[in-house]
Amino acid sequence: MVEQDFVFKKVQLVSGVSSYESPSNIALVKYWGKYGEQYPKNPSISFTLSNCKSVTKIKYRPKKDNEINNFLFLFDGFLMPSFNEKIKQFINRISIYIPAIKYHFFEIESYNTFPHSSGIASSASAMSSLALCFMEIEKKINLKISKSYFTKKASFLARLGSGSATRSIEGPVVCWGESEAFNDSSILYGTTFRNIAPIFNSYQDTILIIDKNEKKVSSTLGHHLMESNPYAENRFIQARKNMSKIKDVLIKGDLDNFIKIIELEALSLHAMMMTSSPSFILMHPNTLSVINEIYEFRKQTSIPICFTLDAGANIHLLYPVQFFEKTQNFINNKLLKYCFSKQYINDHVGIGSKIIEV
Ligand code: DP6
């Protein structure tokens, strides 16, 4: 499909309420570097999560002539002026694909099920839930819309809000960006990869909160720093190769190679930030301490637990559900002391977003 296929020209005035919940996701092969209007420089693939999600509700009605703004945004029940610019930009971008939006006013309410200031990236869950709510408006005008088009376009619109949000509409594993390994992959929207070994359907992700502070570098700035990073081209080649490797690993349930790829991806992402100009060290000293504890624990127990990182200090511990108890003991005995206020969140692989009846 091409961009033009996502333009729905019909304009009709409607009113109603739509509401969706959408989870966060954790990338296995990382998206880092973008161009144009939210196209990724390399393909990426992620586990869709379950418990860490955003819940969004939009009340929509025709816009009055004297109304200057076309939306009001409340987060946790409060006005959040700092989010307004991002939402305004998102609404402007998606108006090209659903022109009816321009003639409506939106009262948007959203909250996250995870603590706002936990340092967990919320743009994926927030933007995907928002995109789904807007798609529900298109559905109200276009009664014949198919389920598969709805899902694809929701992912397409989510991308215009935040790249990683593209991968949060469905689960358990979603890939985004053109990859030779994944036939139907696209830079425009996410595609679900279902051919995975059963062990991954219930994979656990325990997020250790190491640092609660705001990100030192916004992802948008981080992505753009790749334009002048001397190692960027090799990184994009590496990511493409890792997509092929991870496909095999996911199909076979090959945990040894899973661990190798996942940890290398996390460290390569941070290496890119360390070698950009200006450079950023986004790990905290405790991040390194936890990584060393994981290496040691894995060596001692042969439990196939590994770590990954986003563009921050927090650690995602990935492991099969059968090792849940042993991993919780490990966290309590060895890792809790490195966590901010001893905080961590147990999450697991999930199947994606859900409509909320209103
Ligand atoms: C490190 O999706 O937050 O989490 O497109 O600018 O909103 P924008 O970036 P964003 O980047 C996330 C990058 C990452 C890796 C990943 O999720 O693939």
Side-chain angles (χ1 to χ4, degrees):
M1 286 180 87
V2 295
E3 248 122 4
Q4 212 48 32
D5 298 328
F6 290 107
V7 179
F8 176 64
K9 287 211 179 103
K10 187 170 169 190
V11 172
Q12 192 180 316
L13 297 179
V14 286
S15 35
V17 186
S18 65
S19 183
Y20 273 87
E21 59 171 55
S22 193
S24 184
N25 65 69
I26 181 68
L28 306 175
V29 173
K30 309 287 179 182
Y31 146 57
W32 200 242
K34 64 177 172 180
Y35 65 97
E37 202 148 81
Q38 297 282 104
Y39 306 116
K41 285 273 206 171
N42 67 267
S44 58
I45 191 163
S46 50
F47 277 152
T48 303
L49 296 180
S50 224
N51 299 334
C52 292
K53 58 193 177 197
S54 297
V55 183
T56 300
K57 181 163 95 179
I58 298 187
K59 281 189 203 152
Y60 53 96
R61 56 158 175 83
K63 187 166 175 259
K64 294 176 190 143
D65 285 343
N66 58 353
E67 270 171 336
I68 303 161
N69 295 323
N70 62 347
F71 74 93
L72 178 81
F73 178 69
L74 297 178
F75 186 80
D76 275 345
F78 292 97
L79 287 170
M80 282 280 185
S82 58
F83 290 174
N84 282 354
E85 203 41 48
K86 189 114 186 125
I87 291 175
K88 189 172 158 195
Q89 184 191 42
F90 178 63
I91 293 178
N92 280 341
R93 281 181 177 169
I94 66 170
S95 298
I96 298 168
Y97 302 97
I98 313 177
I101 284 177
K102 285 185 252 172
Y103 304 93
H104 288 84
F105 184 90
F106 307 98
E107 204 179 298
I108 307 167
E109 285 177 58
S110 195
Y111 67 89
N112 294 337
T113 57
F114 48 95
H116 173 50
S117 54
S118 59
I120 297 178
S122 59
S123 67
S125 55
M127 286 299 172
S128 54
S129 61
L130 206 52
L132 284 156
C133 290
F134 280 106
M135 273 311 290
E136 206 56 30
I137 300 169
E138 172 169 333
K139 193 171 156 193
K140 192 150 193 174
I141 306 173
N142 180 9
L143 298 173
K144 284 194 240 143
I145 193 168
S146 73
K147 181 152 180 356
S148 77
Y149 179 82
F150 182 96
T151 307
K152 255 188 197 144
K153 187 161 172 182
S155 172
F156 173 92
L157 296 181
R159 186 193 98 238
L160 298 173
S162 177
S164 53
T166 315
R167 302 184 310 238
S168 268
I169 306 292
E170 289 193 308
V173 172
V174 180
C175 115
W176 169 48
E178 259 155 38
S179 159
E180 285 165 11
F182 296 86
N183 285 337
D184 51 356
S185 56
S186 167
I187 55 167
L188 300 178
Y189 48 80
T191 46
T192 308
F193 184 60
R194 295 181 209 278
N195 188 13
I196 58 171
I199 196 162
F200 293 117
N201 280 312
S202 54
Y203 232 67
Q204 304 292 299
D205 177 3
T206 298
I207 307 159
L208 306 174
I209 312 299
I210 306 291
D211 192 349
K212 282 182 90 125
N213 291 328
E214 284 281 304
K215 286 196 212 171
K216 277 192 224 157
V217 52
S218 75
S219 358
T220 294
L221 173 63
H223 288 291
H224 286 302
L225 287 175
M226 284 299 272
E227 285 161 24
S228 55
N229 185 305
Y231 305 105
E233 286 312 315
N234 276 335
R235 162 61 198 151
F236 302 141
I237 293 170
Q238 178 200 33
R240 273 186 213 107
K241 285 190 182 150
N242 281 342
M243 289 294 283
S244 298
K245 289 185 189 164
I246 199 112
K247 182 185 172 188
D248 232 39
V249 159
L250 289 170
I251 294 172
K252 291 186 185 142
D254 172 357
L255 297 189
D256 286 344
N257 280 313
F258 180 79
I259 292 171
K260 277 189 196 141
I261 299 169
I262 297 317
E263 294 187 348
L264 185 59
E265 274 292 317
L267 296 177
S268 301
L269 169 72
H270 280 254
M272 288 303 105
M273 292 182 258
M274 287 187 212
T275 53
S276 290
S277 177
S279 59
F280 291 92
I281 300 178
L282 299 184
M283 287 189 207
H284 184 279
N286 286 356
T287 311
L288 286 176
S289 301
V290 170
I291 290 176
N292 282 321
E293 295 276 7
I294 295 167
Y295 289 154
E296 190 55 32
F297 180 72
R298 199 162 63 212
K299 206 162 96 193
Q300 298 294 329
T301 63
S302 298
I303 290 176
I305 178 176
C306 67
F307 69 86
T308 187
L309 309 161
D310 267 344
N314 294 337
I315 300 244
H316 290 247
L317 278 177
L318 301 181
Y319 54 97
V321 67
Q322 74 215 67
F323 298 109
F324 185 78
E325 291 302 326
K326 285 193 171 133
T327 304
Q328 297 294 305
N329 289 338
F330 168 51
I331 293 169
N332 283 313
N333 295 335
K334 297 277 188 185
L335 306 184
L336 227 47
K337 60 175 179 283
Y338 302 113
C339 297
F340 180 88
S341 298
K342 302 197 161 103
Q343 282 185 47
Y344 64 95
I345 299 172
N346 283 321
D347 207 338
H348 54 89
V349 169
I351 50 168
S353 55
K354 211 169 84 189
I355 191 165
I356 298 173
E357 298 302 335
V358 278

